[in-house]
Amino acid sequence: MILHKGKYLDLISEDGWEFVRRTNCSGIVVIVPKTKDGKVLFVEQFRRPVEAQVIEWPAGLVNDRHPPVKQDEARPSIDSSESGRVAGGEPRPSSQGGTHDLETLEAAARRELLEETGYEAGHLTLLAGGPVSSGLSSEIITFYQALDVVKKGLGGGDATESIKVHEVPLKEVDLWLYEMEKKGFLVDPKIYVGLYFLKT
């Protein structure tokens, strides 16, 4: 049962459990970028729900420029039988029949990386996918690793965002994150998921 419909979210009640569901996208991508000279790229932006500047990986919504899709169509899955291919990123039928030329997860990852950081990926690899806060939200996120990224633009996000990009040598990341936390910044725990893949 839908308790409330917002502009971008629904508040749902099912079996006595209340949770939120996005209605304006078909997935979420998180990008873990590293330059040829061994620097990782973080983004910093103010997040209203926590009232703080947050250090994060570049990330964003998939198909937020298209009409909403049903939730059962919005969950990408890892198909190990196809060399880690992500299902759920192909064009789907619209409610009016026919198909939309929908954005794939990989295309969204490339777009968000360029929009937020101004960098393009030389190599983009699927890492993992799963729920980000399964007690509160139906969101499923998908991680991509972007290697040999090259500066192509200004970054900073779209017209609704104010993003600062940080370039940090991988060998100095742990100390840098510690210092940022001491200054009052919040560090998104997904940072450490991405660093695991970069360091192994």
Side-chain angles (χ1 to χ4, degrees), residues 69-162:
V69 296
K70 295 179 181 178
Q71 182 62 18
D72 60 356
E73 296 174 334
R75 297 182 178 182
S77 60
I78 307 300
D79 185 351
S80 59
S81 67
E82 298 185 40
S83 302
R85 178 177 177 270
V86 176
E90 299 304 320
R92 304 179 183 87
S94 70
S95 59
Q96 290 80 28
T99 60
H100 291 298
D101 185 16
L102 294 185
E103 185 177 43
T104 64
L105 291 166
E106 180 175 330
R110 291 185 180 277
R111 173 180 55 77
E112 288 290 349
L113 177 63
L114 182 61
E115 284 182 4
E116 295 196 355
T117 70
Y119 279 80
E120 285 187 352
H123 304 283
L124 196 66
T125 304
L126 172 68
L127 293 177
V132 63
S133 181
S134 56
L136 172 67
S137 168
S138 62
E139 289 182 343
I140 300 293
I141 63 172
T142 303
F143 283 85
Y144 280 89
Q145 185 179 73
L147 298 180
D148 299 333
V149 298
V150 178
K151 187 74 170 178
K152 294 289 186 178
L154 296 176
D158 62 25
T160 67
E161 298 171 310
S162 180

Coordinates of all heavy atoms in Angstrom, one line a residue, residues 69-162:
V69 N 9.9 3.5 -14.2 CA 9.7 2.1 -14.6 C 9.2 1.4 -13.3 O 9.4 1.9 -12.2 CB 11.0 1.4 -15.1 CG1 11.4 2.0 -16.4 CG2 12.1 1.5 -14.0
K70 N 8.6 0.3 -13.5 CA 8.1 -0.5 -12.4 C 9.2 -1.0 -11.6 O 10.3 -1.3 -12.1 CB 7.2 -1.6 -12.9 CG 5.9 -1.2 -13.6 CD 5.1 -2.4 -14.1 CE 3.9 -2.0 -14.8 NZ 3.1 -3.1 -15.3
Q71 N 9.0 -1.2 -10.3 CA 10.1 -1.6 -9.4 C 10.7 -3.0 -9.8 O 11.8 -3.2 -9.6 CB 9.6 -1.6 -7.9 CG 10.7 -2.0 -6.9 CD 11.9 -1.0 -7.0 OE1 11.7 0.1 -7.4 NE2 13.0 -1.4 -6.4
D72 N 9.8 -3.9 -10.2 CA 10.3 -5.2 -10.6 C 11.2 -5.1 -11.8 O 11.9 -6.1 -12.2 CB 9.2 -6.2 -10.8 CG 8.2 -5.8 -11.9 OD1 8.4 -4.7 -12.4 OD2 7.3 -6.6 -12.2
E73 N 11.1 -4.0 -12.6 CA 12.0 -3.8 -13.7 C 13.3 -3.0 -13.3 O 14.2 -2.9 -14.1 CB 11.3 -3.0 -14.8 CG 10.1 -3.8 -15.4 CD 9.3 -2.9 -16.4 OE1 9.4 -1.7 -16.2 OE2 8.7 -3.5 -17.2
A74 N 13.3 -2.5 -12.1 CA 14.3 -1.5 -11.7 C 15.5 -2.2 -11.0 O 16.4 -1.5 -10.6 CB 13.7 -0.5 -10.8
R75 N 15.5 -3.5 -10.8 CA 16.5 -4.1 -10.0 C 17.5 -4.8 -10.9 O 17.2 -5.9 -11.4 CB 15.9 -5.1 -9.0 CG 15.0 -4.4 -8.0 CD 14.4 -5.4 -7.0 NE 13.6 -4.7 -6.0 CZ 13.0 -5.3 -5.0 NH1 13.1 -6.6 -4.8 NH2 12.2 -4.7 -4.1
P76 N 18.7 -4.3 -11.1 CA 19.7 -5.0 -11.9 C 20.2 -6.2 -11.1 O 20.2 -6.2 -9.9 CB 20.8 -4.0 -12.0 CG 20.6 -3.1 -10.8 CD 19.2 -3.0 -10.5
S77 N 20.5 -7.3 -11.8 CA 21.1 -8.5 -11.2 C 22.3 -8.9 -11.9 O 22.5 -8.6 -13.1 CB 20.0 -9.6 -11.3 OG 19.7 -9.9 -12.6
I78 N 23.2 -9.5 -11.1 CA 24.5 -10.0 -11.7 C 24.3 -11.4 -12.2 O 23.9 -12.3 -11.5 CB 25.6 -10.0 -10.6 CG1 25.6 -8.7 -9.8 CG2 26.9 -10.4 -11.1 CD1 26.0 -7.5 -10.7
D79 N 24.6 -11.5 -13.5 CA 24.4 -12.8 -14.2 C 25.8 -13.4 -14.4 O 26.5 -13.1 -15.3 CB 23.7 -12.6 -15.5 CG 23.4 -13.9 -16.2 OD1 23.9 -15.0 -15.7 OD2 22.7 -13.9 -17.2
S80 N 26.2 -14.3 -13.5 CA 27.5 -14.9 -13.6 C 27.8 -15.7 -14.8 O 28.9 -16.0 -15.2 CB 27.8 -15.7 -12.3 OG 26.9 -16.7 -12.2
S81 N 26.7 -16.2 -15.4 CA 26.8 -17.0 -16.6 C 27.2 -16.2 -17.8 O 27.6 -16.8 -18.8 CB 25.5 -17.8 -16.9 OG 24.5 -16.8 -17.3
E82 N 27.2 -14.9 -17.7 CA 27.5 -14.1 -18.9 C 28.7 -13.2 -18.5 O 28.7 -12.0 -18.8 CB 26.3 -13.3 -19.4 CG 25.2 -14.2 -19.8 CD 24.1 -13.3 -20.4 OE1 24.4 -12.4 -21.2 OE2 22.9 -13.6 -20.2
S83 N 29.7 -13.7 -17.8 CA 30.9 -13.0 -17.5 C 30.7 -11.7 -16.7 O 31.2 -10.7 -17.0 CB 31.7 -12.7 -18.7 OG 32.0 -13.9 -19.4
G84 N 29.7 -11.8 -15.7 CA 29.5 -10.6 -14.9 C 28.6 -9.6 -15.5 O 28.5 -8.5 -15.1
R85 N 27.9 -9.9 -16.6 CA 27.0 -9.0 -17.3 C 25.9 -8.6 -16.3 O 25.3 -9.5 -15.6 CB 26.4 -9.6 -18.5 CG 25.4 -8.7 -19.3 CD 25.0 -9.4 -20.6 NE 24.0 -8.7 -21.3 CZ 22.7 -8.8 -21.1 NH1 22.3 -9.6 -20.2 NH2 21.9 -8.1 -21.8
V86 N 25.5 -7.4 -16.3 CA 24.4 -6.9 -15.5 C 23.1 -7.0 -16.3 O 23.0 -6.4 -17.4 CB 24.6 -5.5 -15.0 CG1 23.4 -5.0 -14.2 CG2 25.8 -5.4 -14.1
A87 N 22.1 -7.7 -15.8 CA 20.8 -7.8 -16.4 C 20.0 -6.6 -16.0 O 20.2 -6.0 -14.9 CB 20.1 -9.0 -16.0
G88 N 19.1 -6.2 -16.8 CA 18.2 -5.1 -16.4 C 18.5 -3.8 -17.0 O 17.9 -2.8 -16.8
G89 N 19.6 -3.7 -17.9 CA 19.9 -2.5 -18.5 C 19.5 -2.3 -19.9 O 19.9 -1.3 -20.6
E90 N 18.7 -3.2 -20.5 CA 18.3 -3.1 -21.8 C 17.0 -2.4 -22.0 O 16.2 -2.3 -21.0 CB 18.2 -4.6 -22.4 CG 19.5 -5.4 -22.4 CD 20.6 -4.7 -23.1 OE1 20.3 -4.1 -24.2 OE2 21.7 -4.7 -22.6
P91 N 16.7 -1.9 -23.2 CA 15.4 -1.2 -23.4 C 14.2 -2.1 -23.0 O 14.2 -3.3 -23.3 CB 15.4 -0.9 -24.9 CG 16.9 -0.8 -25.2 CD 17.5 -1.9 -24.4
R92 N 13.2 -1.5 -22.3 CA 12.1 -2.3 -21.9 C 10.8 -1.7 -22.5 O 10.8 -0.5 -22.9 CB 11.9 -2.2 -20.4 CG 13.2 -2.6 -19.6 CD 13.0 -2.5 -18.1 NE 14.1 -2.9 -17.4 CZ 15.1 -2.0 -17.1 NH1 15.1 -0.8 -17.5 NH2 16.2 -2.4 -16.4
P93 N 9.8 -2.5 -22.6 CA 8.5 -2.0 -23.2 C 8.0 -0.8 -22.3 O 8.1 -0.9 -21.1 CB 7.6 -3.2 -23.1 CG 8.5 -4.4 -23.0 CD 9.7 -3.9 -22.3
S94 N 7.4 0.2 -23.0 CA 6.8 1.3 -22.2 C 5.3 0.9 -21.9 O 4.8 -0.1 -22.4 CB 6.8 2.5 -23.1 OG 5.9 2.4 -24.2
S95 N 4.7 1.7 -21.1 CA 3.3 1.4 -20.7 C 2.3 1.6 -21.9 O 1.2 1.1 -21.9 CB 2.9 2.2 -19.5 OG 3.0 3.6 -19.8
Q96 N 2.8 2.3 -22.9 CA 2.0 2.6 -24.0 C 2.3 1.6 -25.2 O 1.8 1.7 -26.3 CB 2.2 4.0 -24.5 CG 1.6 5.1 -23.6 CD 2.6 5.4 -22.5 OE1 3.8 5.2 -22.6 NE2 2.0 5.8 -21.3
G97 N 3.2 0.6 -24.9 CA 3.6 -0.3 -26.0 C 4.8 0.2 -26.6 O 5.2 1.4 -26.5
G98 N 5.5 -0.6 -27.4 CA 6.8 -0.2 -28.0 C 7.9 -0.2 -27.0 O 7.8 -0.7 -25.9
T99 N 9.0 0.5 -27.3 CA 10.1 0.5 -26.4 C 10.7 1.9 -26.3 O 10.6 2.7 -27.3 CB 11.3 -0.5 -26.8 OG1 11.7 -0.1 -28.1 CG2 10.8 -1.9 -26.8
H100 N 11.3 2.2 -25.2 CA 12.1 3.4 -25.0 C 13.5 3.1 -25.2 O 14.0 2.0 -24.9 CB 11.9 4.1 -23.6 CG 10.6 4.6 -23.4 ND1 10.1 5.7 -24.1 CD2 9.6 4.3 -22.5 CE1 8.8 6.0 -23.7 NE2 8.6 5.1 -22.7
D101 N 14.3 3.9 -25.8 CA 15.8 3.7 -25.9 C 16.4 4.1 -24.5 O 17.0 5.1 -24.3 CB 16.4 4.6 -27.0 CG 17.8 4.3 -27.2 OD1 18.3 3.2 -26.8 OD2 18.5 5.1 -27.9
L102 N 16.2 3.1 -23.6 CA 16.6 3.4 -22.2 C 18.1 3.3 -22.0 O 18.8 2.6 -22.7 CB 15.9 2.4 -21.2 CG 14.4 2.6 -21.1 CD1 13.8 1.7 -20.1 CD2 14.0 4.0 -20.8
E103 N 18.6 4.0 -21.0 CA 20.0 4.0 -20.7 C 20.4 2.8 -20.0 O 19.8 2.3 -19.0 CB 20.3 5.2 -19.8 CG 21.7 5.5 -19.4 CD 21.8 6.8 -18.6 OE1 21.0 7.0 -17.6 OE2 22.7 7.6 -18.9
T104 N 21.6 2.2 -20.4 CA 22.1 1.0 -19.7 C 22.9 1.5 -18.4 O 23.2 2.6 -18.3 CB 23.1 0.2 -20.6 OG1 24.2 1.1 -20.9 CG2 22.4 -0.2 -21.9
L105 N 23.1 0.5 -17.6 CA 23.9 0.8 -16.4 C 25.3 1.4 -16.7 O 25.7 2.3 -16.1 CB 24.0 -0.4 -15.5 CG 22.7 -0.9 -14.8 CD1 22.9 -2.3 -14.3 CD2 22.3 0.0 -13.7
E106 N 25.9 0.7 -17.7 CA 27.3 1.2 -18.0 C 27.2 2.6 -18.6 O 28.1 3.4 -18.3 CB 27.9 0.2 -19.0 CG 29.3 0.6 -19.5 CD 29.9 -0.4 -20.4 OE1 29.7 -1.6 -20.3 OE2 30.8 0.0 -21.2
A107 N 26.3 2.9 -19.5 CA 26.2 4.2 -20.1 C 25.9 5.2 -19.0 O 26.5 6.3 -19.0 CB 25.0 4.2 -21.1
A108 N 25.1 4.9 -18.0 CA 24.8 5.8 -16.9 C 26.1 6.1 -16.1 O 26.4 7.2 -15.6 CB 23.7 5.3 -16.0
A109 N 26.9 5.0 -15.9 CA 28.1 5.1 -15.1 C 29.1 6.1 -15.8 O 29.7 7.0 -15.2 CB 28.8 3.8 -14.9
R110 N 29.2 5.9 -17.1 CA 30.1 6.8 -17.9 C 29.6 8.3 -17.9 O 30.4 9.2 -17.7 CB 30.2 6.3 -19.3 CG 31.0 5.0 -19.5 CD 31.1 4.6 -20.9 NE 31.8 3.4 -21.1 CZ 33.2 3.2 -21.0 NH1 33.9 4.3 -20.9 NH2 33.8 2.1 -21.2
R111 N 28.3 8.4 -18.0 CA 27.7 9.8 -18.0 C 27.9 10.5 -16.6 O 28.3 11.6 -16.6 CB 26.2 9.7 -18.3 CG 25.5 11.0 -18.1 CD 24.0 10.9 -18.5 NE 23.3 9.9 -17.7 CZ 22.9 10.0 -16.5 NH1 23.2 11.1 -15.8 NH2 22.3 9.0 -15.8
E112 N 27.6 9.7 -15.5 CA 27.7 10.3 -14.2 C 29.2 10.7 -13.9 O 29.5 11.7 -13.3 CB 27.2 9.4 -13.2 CG 25.7 9.3 -13.2 CD 25.0 10.5 -12.7 OE1 25.6 11.4 -12.2 OE2 23.7 10.6 -12.9
L113 N 30.1 9.8 -14.3 CA 31.5 10.1 -14.0 C 31.9 11.4 -14.7 O 32.6 12.3 -14.1 CB 32.4 8.9 -14.6 CG 33.9 9.1 -14.4 CD1 34.3 9.2 -13.0 CD2 34.7 8.0 -15.1
L114 N 31.5 11.6 -16.0 CA 31.9 12.8 -16.7 C 31.2 14.0 -16.1 O 31.8 15.1 -15.9 CB 31.5 12.6 -18.2 CG 31.9 13.8 -19.1 CD1 33.4 14.1 -19.1 CD2 31.4 13.5 -20.5
E115 N 29.9 13.9 -15.8 CA 29.1 15.0 -15.2 C 29.7 15.5 -13.9 O 29.8 16.7 -13.7 CB 27.7 14.6 -15.0 CG 26.8 14.6 -16.3 CD 25.4 14.2 -16.0 OE1 25.0 14.1 -14.8 OE2 24.6 14.1 -17.0
E116 N 30.0 14.6 -13.0 CA 30.4 14.9 -11.7 C 31.9 15.3 -11.6 O 32.3 16.1 -10.8 CB 30.0 13.8 -10.7 CG 28.5 13.6 -10.6 CD 28.1 12.8 -9.4 OE1 29.0 12.3 -8.7 OE2 26.9 12.7 -9.2
T117 N 32.8 14.6 -12.3 CA 34.2 14.8 -12.1 C 34.9 15.4 -13.3 O 36.0 16.0 -13.2 CB 34.9 13.5 -11.9 OG1 34.9 12.7 -13.0 CG2 34.2 12.7 -10.7
G118 N 34.3 15.4 -14.5 CA 34.9 15.9 -15.7 C 35.8 14.9 -16.3 O 36.6 15.2 -17.3
Y119 N 35.9 13.7 -15.8 CA 36.8 12.6 -16.3 C 36.0 11.6 -17.1 O 34.8 11.3 -16.8 CB 37.5 11.9 -15.2 CG 38.7 12.6 -14.6 CD1 38.5 13.7 -13.7 CD2 40.0 12.3 -15.0 CE1 39.6 14.4 -13.2 CE2 41.1 13.0 -14.5 CZ 40.9 14.0 -13.6 OH 42.0 14.7 -13.1
E120 N 36.7 11.0 -18.1 CA 36.1 9.9 -18.9 C 37.0 8.6 -18.5 O 38.2 8.7 -18.3 CB 36.2 10.1 -20.4 CG 35.2 11.1 -20.9 CD 35.1 11.2 -22.4 OE1 36.1 10.6 -23.1 OE2 34.2 11.9 -23.0
A121 N 36.3 7.5 -18.6 CA 36.9 6.2 -18.2 C 37.6 5.6 -19.4 O 37.0 5.5 -20.5 CB 35.9 5.2 -17.6
G122 N 38.9 5.2 -19.3 CA 39.5 4.4 -20.3 C 39.0 3.0 -20.3 O 38.8 2.4 -21.3
H123 N 38.8 2.4 -19.1 CA 38.3 1.1 -18.9 C 37.3 1.1 -17.8 O 37.5 1.6 -16.7 CB 39.4 0.1 -18.6 CG 40.6 0.1 -19.6 ND1 40.5 -0.6 -20.8 CD2 41.8 0.7 -19.5 CE1 41.6 -0.4 -21.4 NE2 42.4 0.4 -20.7
L124 N 36.1 0.5 -18.1 CA 35.0 0.4 -17.1 C 34.7 -1.0 -16.9 O 34.4 -1.8 -17.8 CB 33.8 1.2 -17.6 CG 32.7 1.5 -16.6 CD1 33.3 2.6 -15.6 CD2 31.5 2.1 -17.3
T125 N 34.7 -1.5 -15.6 CA 34.5 -2.8 -15.2 C 33.4 -3.0 -14.1 O 33.5 -2.2 -13.1 CB 35.8 -3.5 -14.7 OG1 36.8 -3.3 -15.7 CG2 35.6 -5.0 -14.4
L126 N 32.5 -3.9 -14.3 CA 31.5 -4.2 -13.3 C 32.1 -4.8 -12.1 O 32.9 -5.7 -12.2 CB 30.4 -5.1 -13.9 CG 29.4 -5.6 -12.9 CD1 28.5 -4.5 -12.4 CD2 28.6 -6.8 -13.5
L127 N 31.8 -4.3 -10.9 CA 32.4 -4.8 -9.7 C 31.4 -5.7 -8.9 O 31.6 -6.8 -8.6 CB 32.9 -3.7 -8.8 CG 34.1 -2.9 -9.3 CD1 34.4 -1.8 -8.3 CD2 35.3 -3.8 -9.5
A128 N 30.3 -5.1 -8.5 CA 29.3 -5.7 -7.6 C 28.0 -4.9 -7.6 O 28.0 -3.8 -8.0 CB 29.9 -5.9 -6.2
G129 N 27.0 -5.6 -7.1 CA 25.7 -4.9 -6.9 C 25.0 -5.4 -5.7 O 25.2 -6.6 -5.3
G130 N 24.1 -4.6 -5.1 CA 23.3 -5.0 -4.0 C 22.6 -3.9 -3.3 O 22.7 -2.7 -3.7
P131 N 21.8 -4.2 -2.2 CA 21.0 -3.2 -1.5 C 22.0 -2.3 -0.7 O 23.0 -2.7 -0.2 CB 20.1 -4.0 -0.6 CG 20.8 -5.3 -0.4 CD 21.6 -5.6 -1.7
V132 N 21.6 -1.0 -0.6 CA 22.4 -0.1 0.1 C 21.8 0.2 1.6 O 22.6 0.4 2.5 CB 22.5 1.3 -0.6 CG1 21.1 1.9 -0.8 CG2 23.5 2.2 0.0
S133 N 20.5 0.0 1.7 CA 19.9 0.2 3.1 C 18.6 -0.6 3.1 O 17.5 0.0 3.0 CB 19.7 1.7 3.4 OG 19.1 1.8 4.7
S134 N 18.7 -1.9 3.1 CA 17.6 -2.8 2.9 C 16.5 -2.7 3.9 O 15.4 -3.2 3.7 CB 18.0 -4.2 2.7 OG 18.8 -4.7 3.9
G135 N 16.7 -2.1 5.1 CA 15.7 -1.9 6.1 C 14.9 -0.7 5.8 O 13.8 -0.5 6.4
L136 N 15.3 0.2 4.9 CA 14.6 1.5 4.7 C 14.2 1.7 3.3 O 13.2 2.3 3.0 CB 15.6 2.7 5.1 CG 15.1 4.1 4.8 CD1 13.9 4.4 5.6 CD2 16.2 5.1 5.0
S137 N 15.0 1.2 2.3 CA 14.8 1.5 0.9 C 14.9 0.2 0.1 O 15.6 -0.7 0.4 CB 15.9 2.5 0.5 OG 15.9 2.7 -0.9
S138 N 14.2 0.3 -1.1 CA 14.3 -0.8 -2.0 C 15.4 -0.6 -3.0 O 15.6 -1.4 -4.0 CB 13.0 -1.0 -2.8 OG 12.7 0.2 -3.5
E139 N 16.3 0.4 -2.8 CA 17.3 0.7 -3.8 C 18.3 -0.4 -3.9 O 18.8 -1.0 -2.9 CB 18.1 2.0 -3.3 CG 17.3 3.3 -3.4 CD 18.2 4.4 -3.0 OE1 19.2 4.3 -2.3 OE2 17.8 5.6 -3.3
I140 N 18.7 -0.7 -5.2 CA 19.8 -1.6 -5.5 C 20.9 -0.8 -6.2 O 20.6 -0.1 -7.2 CB 19.3 -2.7 -6.4 CG1 18.2 -3.5 -5.7 CG2 20.5 -3.6 -6.8 CD1 18.7 -4.3 -4.5
I141 N 22.1 -0.8 -5.7 CA 23.2 0.0 -6.4 C 24.1 -1.0 -7.1 O 24.3 -2.2 -6.7 CB 24.0 0.8 -5.4 CG1 24.7 0.0 -4.3 CG2 23.0 1.8 -4.7 CD1 25.6 0.7 -3.4
T142 N 24.8 -0.5 -8.1 CA 25.7 -1.3 -8.9 C 27.1 -0.5 -9.0 O 27.1 0.7 -9.4 CB 25.2 -1.5 -10.3 OG1 23.9 -2.2 -10.2 CG2 26.2 -2.4 -11.1
F143 N 28.1 -1.1 -8.6 CA 29.5 -0.5 -8.6 C 30.2 -0.8 -9.9 O 30.2 -2.0 -10.4 CB 30.3 -1.1 -7.4 CG 30.0 -0.6 -6.1 CD1 29.0 -1.1 -5.3 CD2 30.8 0.5 -5.6 CE1 28.8 -0.6 -4.0 CE2 30.5 1.0 -4.3 CZ 29.5 0.4 -3.5
Y144 N 30.8 0.2 -10.4 CA 31.7 0.1 -11.6 C 33.1 0.6 -11.2 O 33.2 1.7 -10.5 CB 31.2 0.8 -12.8 CG 30.1 0.1 -13.5 CD1 28.8 0.3 -13.2 CD2 30.4 -0.8 -14.6 CE1 27.8 -0.4 -13.9 CE2 29.4 -1.4 -15.3 CZ 28.1 -1.3 -14.9 OH 27.1 -1.9 -15.6
Q145 N 34.2 0.0 -11.6 CA 35.5 0.5 -11.5 C 35.9 1.2 -12.8 O 35.8 0.6 -13.9 CB 36.5 -0.6 -11.2 CG 37.9 -0.2 -10.9 CD 38.8 -1.3 -10.5 OE1 39.2 -2.1 -11.4 NE2 39.1 -1.4 -9.3
A146 N 36.4 2.4 -12.7 CA 36.8 3.1 -13.9 C 38.3 3.4 -13.8 O 38.8 4.1 -12.9 CB 36.1 4.5 -14.0
L147 N 39.1 2.8 -14.7 CA 40.5 2.9 -14.6 C 41.0 3.8 -15.8 O 40.3 3.9 -16.8 CB 41.2 1.5 -14.7 CG 40.9 0.6 -13.5 CD1 41.6 -0.7 -13.7 CD2 41.2 1.2 -12.2
D148 N 42.2 4.3 -15.6 CA 42.8 5.2 -16.7 C 41.9 6.3 -17.1 O 41.8 6.6 -18.2 CB 43.2 4.3 -17.9 CG 44.2 3.2 -17.6 OD1 45.0 3.4 -16.6 OD2 44.2 2.2 -18.3
V149 N 41.3 6.9 -16.1 CA 40.4 8.0 -16.4 C 41.2 9.2 -16.8 O 42.3 9.5 -16.4 CB 39.5 8.4 -15.2 CG1 38.6 7.2 -14.8 CG2 40.3 8.8 -14.0
V150 N 40.6 10.0 -17.8 CA 41.3 11.1 -18.4 C 40.4 12.4 -18.3 O 39.2 12.3 -18.5 CB 41.6 10.8 -19.9 CG1 42.2 12.1 -20.5 CG2 42.5 9.6 -20.0
K151 N 41.0 13.5 -17.9 CA 40.2 14.7 -17.8 C 39.7 15.2 -19.1 O 40.5 15.4 -20.1 CB 41.1 15.8 -17.2 CG 40.4 17.1 -16.8 CD 39.5 17.0 -15.6 CE 39.0 18.3 -15.1 NZ 38.1 18.2 -13.9
K152 N 38.4 15.4 -19.2 CA 37.8 15.9 -20.5 C 36.9 17.1 -20.3 O 36.5 17.8 -21.3 CB 36.9 14.8 -21.1 CG 37.7 13.5 -21.5 CD 38.5 13.9 -22.8 CE 39.2 12.6 -23.3 NZ 39.9 12.9 -24.6
G153 N 36.5 17.4 -19.1 CA 35.6 18.5 -18.8 C 35.8 19.1 -17.4 O 36.7 18.7 -16.7
L154 N 34.8 20.0 -17.1 CA 34.9 20.7 -15.8 C 34.4 19.9 -14.6 O 34.8 20.0 -13.5 CB 34.2 22.0 -15.9 CG 34.7 23.1 -16.8 CD1 33.8 24.3 -16.9 CD2 36.1 23.5 -16.4
G155 N 33.4 19.0 -14.9 CA 32.7 18.3 -13.8 C 31.9 19.2 -13.0 O 31.4 20.3 -13.4
G156 N 31.6 18.8 -11.7 CA 30.8 19.7 -10.8 C 29.3 19.3 -10.8 O 28.6 19.9 -10.0
G157 N 28.9 18.3 -11.6 CA 27.5 17.9 -11.6 C 26.6 18.7 -12.5 O 27.1 19.6 -13.3
D158 N 25.3 18.4 -12.5 CA 24.4 19.1 -13.3 C 23.9 20.4 -12.7 O 24.4 20.8 -11.6 CB 23.2 18.2 -13.7 CG 22.4 17.7 -12.5 OD1 22.4 18.4 -11.4 OD2 21.7 16.7 -12.6
A159 N 22.8 21.0 -13.2 CA 22.4 22.3 -12.7 C 21.8 22.3 -11.3 O 21.8 23.3 -10.6 CB 21.3 22.8 -13.7
T160 N 21.5 21.1 -10.8 CA 20.9 21.0 -9.5 C 22.0 20.7 -8.4 O 21.6 20.5 -7.3 CB 19.8 19.9 -9.4 OG1 20.4 18.6 -9.6 CG2 18.8 20.1 -10.5
E161 N 23.2 20.5 -8.8 CA 24.3 20.0 -7.9 C 25.4 21.0 -7.8 O 25.6 21.9 -8.7 CB 24.8 18.7 -8.4 CG 23.8 17.6 -8.5 CD 24.4 16.3 -9.2 OE1 24.9 16.5 -10.3 OE2 24.2 15.2 -8.7
S162 N 26.1 21.0 -6.7 CA 27.3 21.7 -6.5 C 28.4 20.8 -5.9 O 28.4 20.6 -4.7 CB 27.0 22.9 -5.5 OG 28.2 23.7 -5.3

